[in-house]
Amino acid sequence: MGRTCVEIHEWIEEQVERPIEEWEDRQEERCREERCKWWMLCLNKLFCWLVWVTVKVVRWVVVTVGKWVTRVVCTAINVILDIIGFIVGLILSIPIIGGIIRTVLNWVLEIIWRIVGIFDFILSLAGLRPRKKMYFGVVIPVINDTPLATQAQLQPLVDSVIEIFDRTCNIDARFTGFCETGISPPGGTITVDCGAGGFFADWWLDGSWFEFVTKTCKFTSNWRNVIGYGGEIIGFVVNDIQPGTTNGCSMSGTHNYVTIEGPALRPPALLAHEIGHACLLGHNEDTGNLMNSSTPNIAQPLLTNWQSSVVRSSRHVTYL
């Protein structure tokens, strides 16, 4: 079931089913406590229980059928959209031509959604930050039957993303899981250039590999990444990132993915730092800031008001 369908399913449970169940519980308690009125032959108590039973039956039928219909219809629509997104992704995986189109498309979508989110950006600067959400996942390549990192090694980075963006931006960062892929990278290893060379390398075989793995590993995010709104950010574990002093890389709005080195030890905030770049944050000189060029290895790195507002207006951060 696609993530949109899961959200609709959760909304029905939280906003429809749960309130009715709470009312049923209160009604049941009231019926138990209500005193029998003998002059009415206790019909008052009977009527109370009849109301409770009727609502309970109607709720069960309506919610159960509603959830089933929603799941079937929504899932079918999402599968079709994700298949279309996968096909588009295959086209965008074509070396050079696909890479150029992919770069232009990502920046066009970035600009469009930044314009759409300008009002939310202004509200955020003023300190008004309703809850938003952002989806992210991690891909672990398996080369020669050996994963580049273990899930246990990467879990602290995942936990840090969730904590940092919740605390600094009021963003619900939802982790979609780890994906181990055996699709072989070009040349058998993954070395990323985090300079200008890396930008153009993404147009060639390396970029095609990242795009194809993203489309297969995170299939249920395909159509979201095509339209840009709520596109999932994917963290790829790679063998090496150049220059040698760098252990994480992001090409800002150019890609829907960021890269981190494995299996070397990393500061817990590394993935959150690279996701910040993907949301158009630059480096910051404050050593306690998440975006300091030497990713801070502290318990609670910070973001400024401006930085939080920039992140919240990203196409990756949405209400829906």
Side-chain angles (χ1 to χ4, degrees):
M1 186 164 60
R3 88 182 197 209
T4 302
C5 303
V6 171
E7 291 171 358
I8 295 175
H9 197 268
E10 291 175 349
W11 182 87
I12 292 176
E13 289 182 340
E14 294 177 4
Q15 304 299 324
V16 179
E17 186 173 20
R18 188 174 300 170
I20 296 177
E21 287 180 341
E22 291 174 354
W23 182 89
E24 290 172 0
D25 292 340
R26 292 194 299 270
Q27 179 71 4
E28 181 181 12
E29 184 178 355
R30 189 174 73 84
C31 291
R32 291 183 186 280
E33 296 176 352
E34 184 170 355
R35 301 178 65 177
C36 178
K37 297 180 180 179
W38 295 107
W39 60 274
M40 296 181 63
L41 302 178
C42 282
L43 290 178
N44 63 306
K45 202 169 182 68
L46 177 61
F47 179 75
C48 184
W49 283 112
L50 284 175
V51 171
W52 177 78
V53 170
T54 302
V55 172
K56 199 173 187 67
V57 171
V58 171
R59 187 265 303 169
W60 185 87
V61 172
V62 172
V63 172
T64 301
V65 173
K67 286 164 65 175
W68 181 83
V69 171
T70 299
R71 175 176 296 186
V72 171
V73 175
C74 182
T75 300
I77 293 174
N78 267 265
V79 168
I80 293 173
L81 291 175
D82 285 327
I83 290 174
I84 295 173
F86 180 76
I87 295 172
V88 173
L90 291 180
I91 297 173
L92 298 179
S93 297
I94 299 173
I96 300 182
I97 295 177
I100 294 173
I101 295 174
R102 188 169 63 244
T103 298
V104 173
L105 177 63
N106 281 335
W107 277 107
V108 168
L109 292 173
E110 185 70 49
I111 293 171
I112 290 174
W113 291 114
R114 288 285 175 179
I115 294 173
V116 172
I118 190 66
F119 184 66
D120 187 73
F121 174 75
I122 295 172
L123 286 179
S124 181
L125 283 177
L128 300 176
R129 294 173 182 160
R131 192 74 164 165
K132 300 185 79 171
K133 56 192 172 186
M134 172 181 66
Y135 286 84
F136 72 105
V138 174
V139 173
I140 307 173
V142 179
I143 300 176
N144 297 325
D145 297 325
T146 303
L148 292 186
T150 66
Q151 295 184 16
Q153 288 174 320
L154 296 167
Q155 189 61 50
L157 280 71
V158 171
D159 295 339
S160 185
V161 170
I162 295 171
E163 189 278 327
I164 289 172
F165 288 107
D166 173 61
R167 173 171 48 82
T168 63
C169 305
N170 195 25
I171 291 173
D172 178 12
R174 301 188 176 187
F175 181 55
T176 61
F178 297 102
C179 174
E180 294 189 355
T181 178
I183 301 175
S184 298
T189 60
I190 315 166
T191 299
V192 175
D193 182 348
C194 206
F199 176 87
F200 293 106
D202 188 69
W203 293 358
W204 189 229
L205 296 179
D206 289 347
S208 298
W209 181 82
F210 281 114
E211 183 69 19
F212 184 72
V213 171
T214 296
K215 290 295 180 285
T216 53
C217 252
K218 299 296 181 178
F219 183 82
T220 56
S221 291
N222 280 339
W223 74 271
R224 287 272 195 172
N225 281 335
V226 169
I227 66 172
Y229 185 78
E232 183 175 345
I233 300 176
I234 312 298
F236 273 86
V237 181
V238 299
N239 295 93
D240 186 39
I241 298 176
Q242 297 297 325
T245 57
T246 302
N247 54 13
C249 183
S250 170
M251 290 292 175
S252 192
T254 305
H255 306 153
N256 289 316
Y257 68 87
V258 300
T259 53
I260 54 178
E261 277 188 354
L265 294 177
R266 294 164 289 269
L270 176 60
L271 182 56
H273 175 97
E274 300 306 332
I275 287 177
H277 282 315
C279 294
L280 300 194
L281 292 185
H283 281 141
N284 187 286
E285 295 182 357
D286 185 352
T287 56
N289 192 282
L290 173 66
M291 301 311 297
N292 184 271
S293 56
S294 298
T295 307
N297 193 11
I298 58 178
Q300 293 188 326
L302 303 174
L303 287 176
T304 66
N305 186 47
W306 175 269
Q307 288 174 317
S308 296
S309 301
V310 170
V311 171
R312 284 180 55 86
S313 61
S314 168
R315 60 192 168 103
H316 300 290
V317 181
T318 61
Y319 289 107
L320 301 177

